[in-house]
Amino acid sequence: MRLVLLGPPGAGKGTQATRLVEKFGVPQLSTGDMLRAAVAAQTPIGLKAKAIMDAGQLVSDDVVIGIIDQRIDAADCAKGFILDGFPRTVAQAEALRDLLTRKGLKLDAVVELVVDENALVDRMRKRVADAIAAGGQARADDNPESFKTRLEAYRAQTAPVSDHYASRSELRRIDGMAPIDEVTAALNRALGA
Ligand code: AMP
C-alpha cells in the first residue's frame, strides 16, 4: 500500500496514519517527524530547517524530496508506506511521481481529509494541552502565530496539491470532521480495505 494522506495541519493525518500503519504493516513517513528528528540531532539539515519550521514556513522542496527519495529505499518500505505531510507543493508531487517511476513504483491512493478551518486552531490547542498533560512538550510551531503561518502556507502551497491530484482523477476526499473512528472507517472504505 503506497498512500498519500493530504489535509491541513490539525486535520488528523498523523492519528489516521498511525492506525493505517497497524492495519497494513507499512511505515508512516512523516517529513515533519523526520525534520524534527534532524533538528533534535542537530544535523546540517536540522540546523538549517529549525528556524523555518519554528516560523511555520515550508522547508525547501529539494531538502524534503531528497529525504523521501532516500527513505523509500529502506527495507521497511518494501511493502509500501504512508506519506504524511508530503507532498506539500505541486513541485513535490511531481518529483514524487518521477522518483517513484524511477524506482518502478506508483501510488495506490491519494486521500484528503477535508476539515472545517475554524476547527483547526482548537485542535492545535488540544494537541498542546494533551502533550503537556502527558508530561511532554508542545511542538515549537504549535503556537497561534506559527499556526497561522502554517495555515497560510497550506492554503497557498498545499491546497493546490489536492487540485493537482483531483485533476488527474487520483484524489479521494473524506470528511475529516467526523469522530476519529468514523474517519478511520471512511478511510478504509476509500482504500477498499
Ligand atoms: P508537520 O509535522 O507535517 O506539520 O510539519 C512541520 C513542519 O515541517 C512544517 O511546518 C514545515 O516547516 C516542515 N515540513 C514538513 N513536511 C514538509 C514538506 N513536505 N515540505 C516542506 N516543509 C515541510
Side-chain angles (χ1 to χ4, degrees), residues 40-176:
Q42 301 195 329
T43 66
I45 285 180
L47 291 173
K48 260 206 337 216
K50 185 178 183 332
I52 300 171
M53 293 172 72
D54 285 356
Q57 293 159 357
L58 292 189
V59 172
S60 78
D61 287 339
D62 287 356
V63 167
V64 286
I65 291 164
I67 291 176
I68 288 296
D69 195 356
Q70 249 191 343
R71 181 66 183 84
I72 284 174
D73 290 338
D76 65 338
C77 292
K79 282 202 303 174
F81 45 77
I82 297 153
L83 288 171
D84 160 14
F86 179 94
R88 248 181 168 95
T89 64
V90 172
Q92 291 177 23
E94 286 168 348
L96 175 64
R97 183 170 298 111
D98 289 348
L99 72 87
L100 289 176
T101 304
R102 188 167 21 90
K103 296 176 201 292
L105 304 171
K106 68 181 190 54
L107 293 174
D108 295 303
V110 181
V111 180
E112 178 182 17
L113 301 181
V114 180
V115 288
D116 172 358
E117 266 201 25
N118 295 322
L120 297 177
V121 175
D122 289 342
R123 286 191 179 190
M124 181 272 290
R125 291 214 173 92
K126 185 173 181 310
R127 180 155 75 183
V128 171
D130 288 350
I132 291 168
Q137 268 191 329
R139 281 171 46 166
D141 60 354
D142 268 350
N143 63 72
E145 205 176 310
S146 297
F147 198 77
K148 196 168 153 251
T149 310
R150 285 160 65 196
L151 276 182
E152 282 163 6
Y154 177 79
R155 275 186 224 114
Q157 289 158 282
T158 310
V161 175
S162 303
D163 299 337
H164 170 81
Y165 285 116
S167 72
R168 303 174 61 100
S169 306
E170 289 176 2
L171 184 71
R172 279 162 249 189
R173 289 192 164 100
I174 64 172
D175 175 15

